[in-house]
Amino acid sequence: MDIYLVGGAVRDELLGLPVKEKDWVVVGGTPEALQASGFKPVGNDFPVFLHPQTGEEYALARTERKSGHGHGGFVFHTAPDITLEQDLIRRDLTINAMAQAPDGSIIDPFNGRADLEAKVLRHVSDAFAEDPLRVLRVARFAARYYSLGFRVAEETVQMMTRITLSGELRHLVAERVWKETSRALMEKSPQIFFRTLHDCGALADLFPELADLDGIPQAPDHHPTVDVLTHQWRCLAQAARQNLPLTPRYALLCHDLGKSMTTPDGWPDHRNHERRGETPAREMSERLKAPKEMADAGMTMVRWQVQVHRALKLRPPALLHLLRTLDVLRRPRRLKFLVDACEADFRTCAADPKAPFPQREFLIGAAEIIRTVDVAGLREAGLNGPALGRALDDKRVRALKEYKKEFQEQWQQDPSP
């Protein structure tokens, strides 16, 4: 048996990036031989084995044949006479189709090293078109390496466009689309994932709610002179600069979906777009089968973003209503991701990206104020039931009124970020 390091480990080592995991391909081997050496079989689609000491994946060299629709529509074949080159030619990009021999030499039959040096993402062969999931994978790699200067080869964009036009993307299962999307949202340039999909027409198939924002104008007094879709890209880029986690990034993906439902006679103001946005945000999350926390984040951002931006102008009863609706006492993380996402939105629109965003400190402080309002004294006074609830609300409103006054006085003295 000959064993080679393959895929991302070879690519990232040549790029000088940290190697997070290693995958190996076994040429000339059999399942029986690997198991006799202590390897543990895993996976149902084709023979993959875990190394008995390292736990790393070792796959038998294989070929594959298209047998149906979607990402899973393949028949795989393994045999001792399958060559390394036959295995590599089925991979997605040339930069992922290199192998490293035990002596450290690089086997590169499809010029992946040259494409690394040229900073080009190029498909290996026409077999690329047989797996529609590769459209999303290429877009994700584009998002990962955009900051290094990488671009997608024009012939690969054309191949991705043909896959889109074939209708194959509609056969992808939601779980795989969500997995690629969630990983892409956490890349260094997440906006490039969606822009790349837009360039090949796939955005309209996979994220029609986003595609519908293309070309829709916004009010210039609140936003730079870009359409709503471009604003979405800029928000995601800002979220990456702030190093935000996945939840607020997904919330930002949903936050302006309602603007697609404004009729042209209402442009560019988009009145009540937050209310209109609830339906497309819910539909997108349901179609993607996004986890419950993500779906909730999208809806919460759509509904309450305007209130967050206006937080310092809210009267204490309205502020209490907002905090209660967000359920901040039981779910403090919900307020955290909401203000994180709103801050990214604010900085995208602000003339000075370092301008202060006092809403964050103000709302988090307000949540702490209502958390510390003592209810025991009200009970000791004999209050219970609805009367207790009203008295507690009155006490919280008074506390918020005093807190707001103190916050504004302090802010006027020291308006630092």
Side-chain angles (χ1 to χ4, degrees), residues 268-284:
D269 292 329
H270 304 288
R271 296 183 183 276
N272 297 319
H273 74 86
E274 60 274 14
R275 183 175 300 175
R276 295 190 185 103
E278 293 181 16
T279 297
R282 181 175 59 253
E283 289 176 349
M284 186 168 77

PDB file of all heavy atoms in Angstrom, residues 268-284:
ATOM      1  N   PRO A 268     -37.126  55.608  -1.681  1.00  0.00           N
ATOM      2  CA  PRO A 268     -36.168  54.670  -1.089  1.00  0.00           C
ATOM      3  C   PRO A 268     -36.326  54.519   0.417  1.00  0.00           C
ATOM      4  O   PRO A 268     -35.396  54.108   1.095  1.00  0.00           O
ATOM      5  CB  PRO A 268     -34.834  55.357  -1.411  1.00  0.00           C
ATOM      6  CG  PRO A 268     -35.160  56.817  -1.267  1.00  0.00           C
ATOM      7  CD  PRO A 268     -36.583  56.980  -1.729  1.00  0.00           C
ATOM      8  N   ASP A 269     -37.503  54.867   0.977  1.00  0.00           N
ATOM      9  CA  ASP A 269     -37.636  54.949   2.434  1.00  0.00           C
ATOM     10  C   ASP A 269     -37.893  53.609   3.125  1.00  0.00           C
ATOM     11  O   ASP A 269     -37.495  53.412   4.259  1.00  0.00           O
ATOM     12  CB  ASP A 269     -38.762  55.922   2.796  1.00  0.00           C
ATOM     13  CG  ASP A 269     -38.406  57.346   2.433  1.00  0.00           C
ATOM     14  OD1 ASP A 269     -37.215  57.680   2.475  1.00  0.00           O
ATOM     15  OD2 ASP A 269     -39.328  58.118   2.078  1.00  0.00           O
ATOM     16  N   HIS A 270     -38.632  52.703   2.494  1.00  0.00           N
ATOM     17  CA  HIS A 270     -38.896  51.368   3.053  1.00  0.00           C
ATOM     18  C   HIS A 270     -39.560  51.423   4.426  1.00  0.00           C
ATOM     19  O   HIS A 270     -39.095  50.798   5.386  1.00  0.00           O
ATOM     20  CB  HIS A 270     -37.598  50.549   3.131  1.00  0.00           C
ATOM     21  CG  HIS A 270     -36.903  50.425   1.817  1.00  0.00           C
ATOM     22  ND1 HIS A 270     -37.382  49.643   0.793  1.00  0.00           N
ATOM     23  CD2 HIS A 270     -35.759  50.994   1.340  1.00  0.00           C
ATOM     24  CE1 HIS A 270     -36.556  49.730  -0.246  1.00  0.00           C
ATOM     25  NE2 HIS A 270     -35.575  50.546   0.051  1.00  0.00           N
ATOM     26  N   ARG A 271     -40.648  52.147   4.503  1.00  0.00           N
ATOM     27  CA  ARG A 271     -41.364  52.229   5.776  1.00  0.00           C
ATOM     28  C   ARG A 271     -41.909  50.860   6.172  1.00  0.00           C
ATOM     29  O   ARG A 271     -42.414  50.117   5.349  1.00  0.00           O
ATOM     30  CB  ARG A 271     -42.519  53.238   5.670  1.00  0.00           C
ATOM     31  CG  ARG A 271     -42.053  54.672   5.419  1.00  0.00           C
ATOM     32  CD  ARG A 271     -43.232  55.631   5.387  1.00  0.00           C
ATOM     33  NE  ARG A 271     -42.794  56.984   5.067  1.00  0.00           N
ATOM     34  CZ  ARG A 271     -42.320  57.837   5.961  1.00  0.00           C
ATOM     35  NH1 ARG A 271     -42.253  57.473   7.230  1.00  0.00           N
ATOM     36  NH2 ARG A 271     -41.942  59.055   5.596  1.00  0.00           N
ATOM     37  N   ASN A 272     -41.781  50.552   7.468  1.00  0.00           N
ATOM     38  CA  ASN A 272     -42.271  49.289   8.034  1.00  0.00           C
ATOM     39  C   ASN A 272     -41.609  48.063   7.402  1.00  0.00           C
ATOM     40  O   ASN A 272     -42.191  46.980   7.404  1.00  0.00           O
ATOM     41  CB  ASN A 272     -43.792  49.183   7.886  1.00  0.00           C
ATOM     42  CG  ASN A 272     -44.532  50.265   8.645  1.00  0.00           C
ATOM     43  OD1 ASN A 272     -44.158  50.598   9.774  1.00  0.00           O
ATOM     44  ND2 ASN A 272     -45.556  50.829   8.032  1.00  0.00           N
ATOM     45  N   HIS A 273     -40.374  48.213   6.901  1.00  0.00           N
ATOM     46  CA  HIS A 273     -39.724  47.048   6.292  1.00  0.00           C
ATOM     47  C   HIS A 273     -39.436  45.966   7.314  1.00  0.00           C
ATOM     48  O   HIS A 273     -39.379  44.782   6.974  1.00  0.00           O
ATOM     49  CB  HIS A 273     -38.428  47.463   5.581  1.00  0.00           C
ATOM     50  CG  HIS A 273     -37.292  47.783   6.519  1.00  0.00           C
ATOM     51  ND1 HIS A 273     -36.446  46.818   7.004  1.00  0.00           N
ATOM     52  CD2 HIS A 273     -36.862  48.965   7.034  1.00  0.00           C
ATOM     53  CE1 HIS A 273     -35.536  47.392   7.786  1.00  0.00           C
ATOM     54  NE2 HIS A 273     -35.771  48.686   7.828  1.00  0.00           N
ATOM     55  N   GLU A 274     -39.304  46.366   8.598  1.00  0.00           N
ATOM     56  CA  GLU A 274     -39.047  45.343   9.612  1.00  0.00           C
ATOM     57  C   GLU A 274     -40.248  44.410   9.760  1.00  0.00           C
ATOM     58  O   GLU A 274     -40.085  43.200   9.942  1.00  0.00           O
ATOM     59  CB  GLU A 274     -38.673  45.985  10.951  1.00  0.00           C
ATOM     60  CG  GLU A 274     -39.713  46.901  11.556  1.00  0.00           C
ATOM     61  CD  GLU A 274     -39.635  48.334  11.060  1.00  0.00           C
ATOM     62  OE1 GLU A 274     -38.943  48.576  10.053  1.00  0.00           O
ATOM     63  OE2 GLU A 274     -40.270  49.207  11.671  1.00  0.00           O
ATOM     64  N   ARG A 275     -41.448  44.957   9.685  1.00  0.00           N
ATOM     65  CA  ARG A 275     -42.642  44.105   9.769  1.00  0.00           C
ATOM     66  C   ARG A 275     -42.779  43.233   8.520  1.00  0.00           C
ATOM     67  O   ARG A 275     -43.087  42.048   8.603  1.00  0.00           O
ATOM     68  CB  ARG A 275     -43.886  44.965   9.960  1.00  0.00           C
ATOM     69  CG  ARG A 275     -45.171  44.179  10.128  1.00  0.00           C
ATOM     70  CD  ARG A 275     -46.341  45.087  10.433  1.00  0.00           C
ATOM     71  NE  ARG A 275     -46.118  45.827  11.674  1.00  0.00           N
ATOM     72  CZ  ARG A 275     -46.951  46.766  12.130  1.00  0.00           C
ATOM     73  NH1 ARG A 275     -48.045  47.068  11.446  1.00  0.00           N
ATOM     74  NH2 ARG A 275     -46.689  47.400  13.263  1.00  0.00           N
ATOM     75  N   ARG A 276     -42.531  43.825   7.370  1.00  0.00           N
ATOM     76  CA  ARG A 276     -42.608  43.055   6.122  1.00  0.00           C
ATOM     77  C   ARG A 276     -41.530  41.969   6.063  1.00  0.00           C
ATOM     78  O   ARG A 276     -41.699  40.950   5.406  1.00  0.00           O
ATOM     79  CB  ARG A 276     -42.456  43.986   4.923  1.00  0.00           C
ATOM     80  CG  ARG A 276     -43.577  45.008   4.755  1.00  0.00           C
ATOM     81  CD  ARG A 276     -43.446  45.692   3.403  1.00  0.00           C
ATOM     82  NE  ARG A 276     -44.423  46.761   3.236  1.00  0.00           N
ATOM     83  CZ  ARG A 276     -44.136  48.047   3.348  1.00  0.00           C
ATOM     84  NH1 ARG A 276     -42.902  48.431   3.640  1.00  0.00           N
ATOM     85  NH2 ARG A 276     -45.072  48.965   3.174  1.00  0.00           N
ATOM     86  N   GLY A 277     -40.435  42.208   6.745  1.00  0.00           N
ATOM     87  CA  GLY A 277     -39.317  41.275   6.666  1.00  0.00           C
ATOM     88  C   GLY A 277     -39.519  39.985   7.426  1.00  0.00           C
ATOM     89  O   GLY A 277     -38.739  39.025   7.250  1.00  0.00           O
ATOM     90  N   GLU A 278     -40.543  39.923   8.277  1.00  0.00           N
ATOM     91  CA  GLU A 278     -40.740  38.711   9.074  1.00  0.00           C
ATOM     92  C   GLU A 278     -41.019  37.503   8.190  1.00  0.00           C
ATOM     93  O   GLU A 278     -40.498  36.410   8.428  1.00  0.00           O
ATOM     94  CB  GLU A 278     -41.882  38.927  10.075  1.00  0.00           C
ATOM     95  CG  GLU A 278     -41.561  39.956  11.142  1.00  0.00           C
ATOM     96  CD  GLU A 278     -42.699  40.123  12.134  1.00  0.00           C
ATOM     97  OE1 GLU A 278     -43.581  39.245  12.170  1.00  0.00           O
ATOM     98  OE2 GLU A 278     -42.708  41.139  12.861  1.00  0.00           O
ATOM     99  N   THR A 279     -41.825  37.675   7.153  1.00  0.00           N
ATOM    100  CA  THR A 279     -42.177  36.535   6.299  1.00  0.00           C
ATOM    101  C   THR A 279     -40.976  35.995   5.536  1.00  0.00           C
ATOM    102  O   THR A 279     -40.696  34.783   5.603  1.00  0.00           O
ATOM    103  CB  THR A 279     -43.308  36.917   5.321  1.00  0.00           C
ATOM    104  OG1 THR A 279     -44.481  37.233   6.078  1.00  0.00           O
ATOM    105  CG2 THR A 279     -43.621  35.762   4.372  1.00  0.00           C
ATOM    106  N   PRO A 280     -40.207  36.815   4.794  1.00  0.00           N
ATOM    107  CA  PRO A 280     -39.054  36.250   4.096  1.00  0.00           C
ATOM    108  C   PRO A 280     -37.984  35.703   5.036  1.00  0.00           C
ATOM    109  O   PRO A 280     -37.324  34.706   4.713  1.00  0.00           O
ATOM    110  CB  PRO A 280     -38.520  37.416   3.254  1.00  0.00           C
ATOM    111  CG  PRO A 280     -39.100  38.641   3.860  1.00  0.00           C
ATOM    112  CD  PRO A 280     -40.418  38.230   4.431  1.00  0.00           C
ATOM    113  N   ALA A 281     -37.807  36.313   6.208  1.00  0.00           N
ATOM    114  CA  ALA A 281     -36.823  35.795   7.167  1.00  0.00           C
ATOM    115  C   ALA A 281     -37.237  34.405   7.655  1.00  0.00           C
ATOM    116  O   ALA A 281     -36.409  33.486   7.748  1.00  0.00           O
ATOM    117  CB  ALA A 281     -36.670  36.750   8.344  1.00  0.00           C
ATOM    118  N   ARG A 282     -38.509  34.248   7.952  1.00  0.00           N
ATOM    119  CA  ARG A 282     -38.995  32.939   8.403  1.00  0.00           C
ATOM    120  C   ARG A 282     -38.888  31.909   7.290  1.00  0.00           C
ATOM    121  O   ARG A 282     -38.456  30.771   7.507  1.00  0.00           O
ATOM    122  CB  ARG A 282     -40.441  33.070   8.872  1.00  0.00           C
ATOM    123  CG  ARG A 282     -41.028  31.737   9.378  1.00  0.00           C
ATOM    124  CD  ARG A 282     -42.424  31.912   9.951  1.00  0.00           C
ATOM    125  NE  ARG A 282     -43.355  32.456   8.972  1.00  0.00           N
ATOM    126  CZ  ARG A 282     -43.814  33.709   8.991  1.00  0.00           C
ATOM    127  NH1 ARG A 282     -43.440  34.547   9.925  1.00  0.00           N
ATOM    128  NH2 ARG A 282     -44.669  34.125   8.067  1.00  0.00           N
ATOM    129  N   GLU A 283     -39.267  32.295   6.082  1.00  0.00           N
ATOM    130  CA  GLU A 283     -39.233  31.346   4.959  1.00  0.00           C
ATOM    131  C   GLU A 283     -37.806  30.908   4.647  1.00  0.00           C
ATOM    132  O   GLU A 283     -37.563  29.728   4.361  1.00  0.00           O
ATOM    133  CB  GLU A 283     -39.884  31.981   3.734  1.00  0.00           C
ATOM    134  CG  GLU A 283     -41.397  32.133   3.871  1.00  0.00           C
ATOM    135  CD  GLU A 283     -42.033  32.845   2.682  1.00  0.00           C
ATOM    136  OE1 GLU A 283     -41.265  33.413   1.849  1.00  0.00           O
ATOM    137  OE2 GLU A 283     -43.276  32.840   2.574  1.00  0.00           O
ATOM    138  N   MET A 284     -36.857  31.818   4.693  1.00  0.00           N
ATOM    139  CA  MET A 284     -35.478  31.447   4.410  1.00  0.00           C
ATOM    140  C   MET A 284     -34.944  30.488   5.468  1.00  0.00           C
ATOM    141  O   MET A 284     -34.304  29.486   5.149  1.00  0.00           O
ATOM    142  CB  MET A 284     -34.588  32.694   4.321  1.00  0.00           C
ATOM    143  CG  MET A 284     -33.159  32.379   3.885  1.00  0.00           C
ATOM    144  SD  MET A 284     -32.202  33.852   3.450  1.00  0.00           S
ATOM    145  CE  MET A 284     -31.828  34.489   5.095  1.00  0.00           C
TER     146      MET A 284
END
